[in-house]
Amino acid sequence: MKQVGVIFGGASPEYEVSLESAASVLEVLEGQAYDVSKIGISRNGTWYLVKSDLTAIREDRWLNQETCQKILPDFSGQGFWLSEEKKWLTPDSLFPVLHGKYGEDGCLQGLLEMMGVPYVGCGVAASALCMNKWLLHQFAESIGIKSTPTLMLTAHEDTTKVDAFIEQQGYPLFVKPNEAGSSKGISQVTHSAGLQAALADAFQYCTEVILQKSVSGIEIGCGILGNEELTVGECDEISLVEGFFDYTEKYQLVTAKILVPASLPVVINQQIKERAQLLYRSLGCKGLARLDFFFTDEGEILLNEVNTMPGFTAHSRFPAMLAAVGFSYQQIIQTLLILAEEAHYEKHLLTVS
């Protein structure tokens, strides 16, 4: 029986999202032929082997003395050291279900590489590059994929750059942390009076912030599953009554609706899928990613962002995209574990040879 460790939590503003996603993954794995270990990372970065049930994980009641013991990642290939029991926990593969900072930005992936255990999802370079919106857009432009006009700022940047950008692009515009997910810290600014508050909010999440010209059009997502051979899900479309697809809309769908498949012309749908695959391969993505674009009122296709561990409950966007091409949630999870081992052992063979 394969032993799988599901990692959740972490020191990220998206901690709660991780708990929901991980509980959904665990629910599937615990009903299948897997020996499952729950591995929780507290908000302060301490690792635990967790015995809590799924409800306690979803409700963030998993961290207590009765159901947890501290574990330490090991870099000699033996997995984790259980200090209380004085023994090793050695999973065949790991399924990190963490979103955002320290979980989706290459940090955790680097640690897992040092552990030498197969893990689900993109590697260090792809994770880091996709998380950094500014670098992602520069890279995408180098392979012919456009984004909306963007300016990057640091906290000590001269305001003349901001003034020049606004004079050229005008309002409305978006203010975003350069490295954050789930729309945390993102504001839509429609006039100068709201700019400083938006910048202050964004800088709470990241030391670099980007300003982007607002796009008039619709947001389209494209989910991809695979390593070398890719399965491309149906594109989805975000329909909003007003505002933008912020954190509340993403996870509560107050006025938003997600349409799968997207109501796009066939040619545009195909072009978005082709751009998504080109990006996925060029970035070196493995396992999965959700690539988000804008289809503007002027008929342009513009890159928005790439999520290397998108929201992953059974009802999230990525599973819905794959469901539309015949993959059940259970099949997606099983396939990801297979892909993790394939990527790991292919890399190992290259290293040995």
Side-chain angles (χ1 to χ4, degrees):
M1 182 182 291
K2 290 280 188 180
Q3 187 171 25
V4 179
V6 177
I7 309 174
F8 60 87
S12 165
E14 296 172 74
Y15 172 90
E16 293 89 354
V17 184
S18 170
L19 301 188
E20 287 285 347
S21 294
S24 294
V25 172
L26 285 163
E27 193 168 22
V28 169
L29 291 176
E30 290 182 346
Q32 304 299 314
Y34 295 101
D35 181 8
V36 182
S37 298
K38 307 182 190 94
I39 301 169
I41 306 176
S42 70
R43 292 178 187 270
N44 68 8
T46 306
W47 292 54
Y48 296 91
L49 180 63
V50 180
K51 301 298 183 183
S52 300
D53 61 25
L54 300 186
T55 300
I57 292 172
R58 285 192 171 98
E59 296 177 356
D60 194 16
R61 295 185 288 103
W62 62 272
L63 184 52
N64 61 73
Q65 291 181 346
E66 289 73 31
T67 59
C68 292
Q69 64 169 303
K70 290 183 180 180
I71 60 174
L72 293 172
D74 175 77
F75 304 133
S76 65
Q78 299 191 79
F80 299 90
W81 176 244
L82 307 180
S83 54
E84 291 181 16
E85 300 179 24
K86 306 296 183 185
K87 68 177 186 180
W88 294 102
L89 170 67
T90 310
D92 294 298
S93 58
L94 293 168
F95 200 134
V97 194
L98 292 91
H99 308 293
K101 190 175 183 179
Y102 302 130
E104 198 179 347
D105 59 359
C107 292
L108 180 62
Q109 289 71 25
L111 185 147
L112 300 180
E113 290 283 352
M114 292 172 68
M115 289 180 68
V117 181
Y119 62 91
V120 167
C122 294
V124 177
S127 298
L129 187 51
C130 291
M131 195 70 184
N132 188 308
K133 297 178 179 67
W134 173 257
L135 292 180
L136 172 66
H137 291 168
Q138 305 308 302
F139 177 83
E141 187 173 352
S142 75
I143 59 172
I145 297 175
K146 293 183 179 179
S147 306
T148 186
T150 303
L151 173 70
M152 191 173 74
L153 303 169
T154 66
H156 307 292
E157 205 77 57
D158 192 314
T159 57
T160 55
K161 289 178 64 176
V162 178
D163 295 339
F165 182 81
I166 293 172
E167 184 177 350
Q168 184 176 20
Q169 304 299 337
Y171 291 101
L173 56 82
F174 279 94
V175 179
K176 302 179 179 181
N178 189 41
E179 295 186 76
S182 290
S183 296
K184 290 277 191 175
I186 295 181
S187 302
Q188 186 177 37
V189 180
T190 57
H191 49 78
S192 59
L195 182 59
Q196 290 307 312
L199 287 169
D201 186 31
F203 275 121
Q204 291 184 66
Y205 295 91
C206 190
T207 58
E208 296 174 335
V209 166
I210 58 172
L211 271 60
Q212 288 188 318
K213 180 180 176 62
S214 184
V215 172
S216 180
I218 56 175
E219 186 171 342
I220 304 294
C222 181
I224 296 181
L225 180 71
N227 292 340
E228 300 305 319
E229 188 175 323
L230 305 184
T231 298
V232 183
E234 284 293 349
C235 293
D236 76 356
E237 173 185 344
I238 297 169
S239 174
L240 272 173
V241 174
E242 60 182 2
F244 68 99
F245 202 46
D246 61 9
Y247 184 84
T248 301
E249 287 289 3
K250 282 185 176 181
Y251 298 109
Q252 297 181 26
L253 296 180
V254 179
T255 66
K257 293 182 179 179
I258 311 296
L259 308 177
V260 185
S263 56
L264 291 170
V266 174
V267 173
I268 299 300
N269 187 66
Q270 186 58 35
Q271 288 177 355
I272 289 175
K273 289 181 178 180
E274 288 171 357
R275 282 168 171 75
Q277 290 176 82
L278 174 61
L279 261 175
Y280 191 96
R281 292 191 187 282
S282 300
L283 289 163
C285 293
K286 300 288 182 182
L288 78 162
R290 194 192 74 226
L291 303 97
D292 296 341
F293 298 85
F294 293 111
F295 179 52
T296 73
D297 292 344
E298 291 75 33
E300 279 191 295
I301 298 169
L302 302 176
L303 175 65
N304 181 19
E305 60 185 14
V306 178
N307 293 272
T308 54
M309 182 49 72
F312 210 81
T313 70
H315 307 292
S316 296
R317 293 174 63 196
F318 181 86
M321 295 173 187
L322 272 294
V325 295
F327 274 72
S328 69
Y329 186 59
Q330 176 183 323
Q331 287 173 317
I332 294 170
I333 290 170
Q334 291 172 335
T335 302
L336 285 170
L337 290 170
I338 293 168
L339 292 169
E341 292 197 4
E342 282 182 1
H344 176 80
Y345 292 115
E346 179 184 2
K347 188 183 298 181
H348 179 72
L349 286 172
L350 288 172
T351 303
V352 171
S353 60

